[in-house]
C-alpha cells in the first residue's frame, strides 16, 4: 500500500453539488445555525459557542462552490489554537474513509488535500484546514473552478 493512502475519520458535509470532508480530529462540534447563536460583528458574522465568539464563514463561499441560502448547519473547527465556524447546507455524517492523493488537476487548490469515496460511490473532497483558513481570511486566492 502506498504511504500516501491512509484511513481516517472525517465529518462529511454537503455544500452546493459537492461533498467535502474534514478530519474529525479538527472538528470541535456541529451545531444548527439559528438566530440565537449568530451575531453580527465587525468583519462579518460570528457564532457564540461556550461563551466564546467564533468567526462564522460560509463553506460554499470559501471553496468557490455555489452558495445556497440554506446554510443551516455549522461545524466548529480548531487549528493552531484558534477556532472558526463554517456554515454549510447539509450534514452527511462522520465516516471512516480511505484518503487518496489528489490528481494533478486538483493540486492547484491548496484547500483540497485528498479525495475519498463513500460506500455508495459518491466522491468526497478532503479539505486541508490550513488552506481553507487562508482562503477564508482572504490570504490566498481560489483558482477558477
Amino acid at each position: 500500500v502506498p504511504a500516501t493512502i491512509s484511513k481516517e475519520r472525517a465529518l462529511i458535509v454537503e455544500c452546493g453539488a459537492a461533498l467535502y470532508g474534514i478530519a474529525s480530529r479538527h472538528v470541535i462540534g456541529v451545531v444548527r445555525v439559528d438566530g440565537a447563536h449568530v451575531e453580527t460583528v465587525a468583519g462579518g458574522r460570528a457564532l457564540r459557542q461556550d461563551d466564546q465568539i467564533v468567526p462564522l464563514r460560509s463553506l460554499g463561499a470559501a471553496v468557490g462552490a455555489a452558495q445556497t441560502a440554506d446554510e443551516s448547519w455549522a461545524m466548529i473547527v480548531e487549528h493552531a489554537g484558534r477556532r472558526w465556524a463554517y456554515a454549510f447546507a447539509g450534514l452527511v455524517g462522520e465516516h471512516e474513509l480511505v484518503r487518496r492523493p489528489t490528481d494533478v488537476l486538483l493540486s492547484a487548490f491548496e484547500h483540497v488535500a485528498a479525495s475519498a469515496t463513500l460506500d455508495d460511490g459518491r466522491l468526497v473532497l478532503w479539505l486541508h484546514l490550513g488552506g481553507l483558513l487562508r482562503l477564508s481570511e482572504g490570504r490566498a486566492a481560489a483558482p477558477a473552478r
Side-chain angles (χ1 to χ4, degrees):
V1 176
T4 55
I5 295 177
S6 63
K7 198 172 199 182
E8 189 171 358
R9 289 200 68 76
L11 178 70
I12 311 301
V13 301
E14 188 174 0
C15 189
L19 296 179
Y20 295 94
I22 190 157
S24 294
R25 60 189 157 88
H26 294 300
V27 179
I28 301 301
V30 177
V31 296
R32 291 287 262 166
V33 176
D34 59 17
H37 293 107
V38 178
E39 300 178 12
T40 302
V41 296
R45 300 183 306 162
L47 185 69
R48 182 173 292 279
Q49 192 249 352
D50 297 335
D51 294 327
Q52 291 183 0
I53 300 294
V54 179
L56 177 63
R57 305 287 188 257
S58 166
L59 182 62
V63 298
Q67 253 184 294
T68 63
D70 182 33
E71 290 184 332
S72 57
W73 293 92
M75 65 176 154
I76 300 160
V77 296
E78 187 171 39
H79 180 71
R82 291 189 56 203
R83 290 184 179 183
W84 288 266
Y86 284 95
F88 56 91
L91 178 63
V92 176
E94 188 177 25
H95 296 272
E96 190 161 330
L97 299 174
V98 176
R99 293 172 45 139
R100 292 178 179 86
T102 57
D103 189 74
V104 175
L105 284 173
L106 289 176
S107 64
F109 296 93
E110 78 171 294
H111 61 283
V112 177
S115 65
T117 306
L118 291 176
D119 291 340
D120 62 7
R122 292 183 291 170
L123 177 69
V124 176
L125 294 177
W126 200 284
L127 295 174
H128 178 266
L129 190 53
L132 181 63
L133 294 172
R134 281 189 290 282
L135 281 176
S136 299
E137 299 297 319
R139 294 180 289 179
R145 293 191 309 183

